[in-house]
C-alpha cells in the first residue's frame, strides 16, 4: 500500500483489496502491516511494519509456544507485542492479554499509546467488523 494515501483513500484501498481477495483477512502477517498504525519516534503516523529485530522474532513466532524477550531499549518490542496481542484479541476467539510494566501508569501509557491508537486508526471497514 502506498504510504502517500490519505485516510479516505486508505480506507477505500483496504476495502477494495479485501473485496478482491477476502482470504487476506485470515493472514495475521498481512493484517499486521495493513491494519495497524503506530506513531514513530519522530511523531509521524505510519502503518506498522516490523523492523529487522521484530522480523527475526516473527520468523520464530510459530516455532515455539512461549518466549522471553529480554528488554532492550528502542527495538520496538513493546509496540510489536501490543499489536500482536491486539490482533489476536480481535481475530481469535477467547483471547485476552495484559501488560506488565514497572508502574501502573507506565502500563496504562503503553496501552493508550500503542493499543488504543491502533484501534482508533483501524480502517473503517475493519472498525465496523469489530465494534
Amino acid at each position: 500500500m502506498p504510504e502517500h494515501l490519505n485516510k479516505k483513500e486508505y480506507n477505500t484501498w483496504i476495502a477494495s483489496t479485501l473485496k478482491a481477495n477476502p482470504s487476506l483477512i485470515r493472514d495475521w502477517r498481512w493484517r499486521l502491516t495493513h491494519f495497524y498504525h503506530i506513531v514513530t519516534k519522530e511523531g509521524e503516523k505510519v502503518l506498522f511494519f516490523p523492523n529487522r529485530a521484530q522480523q527475526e522474532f516473527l520468523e520464530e513466532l510459530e516455532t515455539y509456544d512461549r518466549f522471553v524477550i529480554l528488554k532492550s531499549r528502542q527495538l520496538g518490542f513493546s509496540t510489536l507485542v501490543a499489536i500482536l496481542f491486539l490482533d489476536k484479541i480481535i481475530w481469535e476467539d477467547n483471547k485476552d492479554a495484559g501488560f506488565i510494566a514497572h508502574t501502573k501508569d507506565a502500563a496504562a501509557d503503553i496501552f493508550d499509546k500503542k493499543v488504543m491508537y491502533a484501534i482508533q486508526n483501524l480502517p473503517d471497514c475493519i472498525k465496523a467488523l469489530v465494534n
Side-chain angles (χ1 to χ4, degrees), residues 74-126:
Q74 304 302 313
L75 289 180
F77 278 94
S78 295
T79 299
L80 173 64
V81 170
I83 299 297
L84 277 172
F85 283 0
L86 174 60
D87 188 75
K88 285 200 171 289
I89 290 167
I90 291 173
W91 299 103
E92 296 181 21
D93 291 336
N94 303 315
K95 298 289 182 185
D96 59 9
F99 284 97
I100 298 173
H102 62 290
T103 66
K104 183 178 177 180
D105 288 343
D109 191 51
I110 291 170
F111 182 81
D112 291 342
K113 289 183 178 175
K114 311 294 184 192
V115 178
M116 286 307 298
Y117 187 85
I119 290 170
Q120 292 165 349
N121 289 283
L122 281 169
D124 291 342
C125 61
I126 302 305

Side-chain angles (χ1 to χ4, degrees), residues 18-71:
L18 289 172
K19 188 174 185 178
N21 192 350
S23 65
L24 286 174
I25 206 163
R26 293 189 300 269
D27 181 350
W28 65 270
R29 291 177 188 271
W30 188 86
R31 291 190 311 257
L32 285 184
T33 58
H34 290 83
F35 288 175
Y36 305 107
H37 285 87
I38 62 169
V39 176
T40 66
K41 293 175 193 173
E42 295 78 26
E44 182 182 3
K45 175 185 173 183
V46 297
L47 277 170
F48 174 75
F49 190 82
N51 63 34
R52 185 193 52 76
Q54 293 167 335
Q55 287 174 3
E56 289 176 13
F57 174 80
L58 290 171
E59 288 170 10
E60 301 293 325
L61 190 60
E62 294 175 335
T63 306
Y64 303 101
D65 62 350
R66 66 187 64 184
F67 290 89
V68 174
I69 302 172
L70 301 177
K71 183 62 178 164

Side-chain angles (χ1 to χ4, degrees), residues 1-2 5-20 24 30 33-35 47 123 125:
M1 187 209 84
L5 298 179
N6 65 38
K7 183 176 180 174
K8 184 177 180 180
E9 292 168 333
Y10 165 71
N11 282 311
T12 301
W13 181 84
I14 286 287
S16 64
T17 299
L18 289 172
K19 188 174 185 178
L24 286 174
W30 188 86
T33 58
H34 290 83
F35 288 175
L47 277 170
C125 61

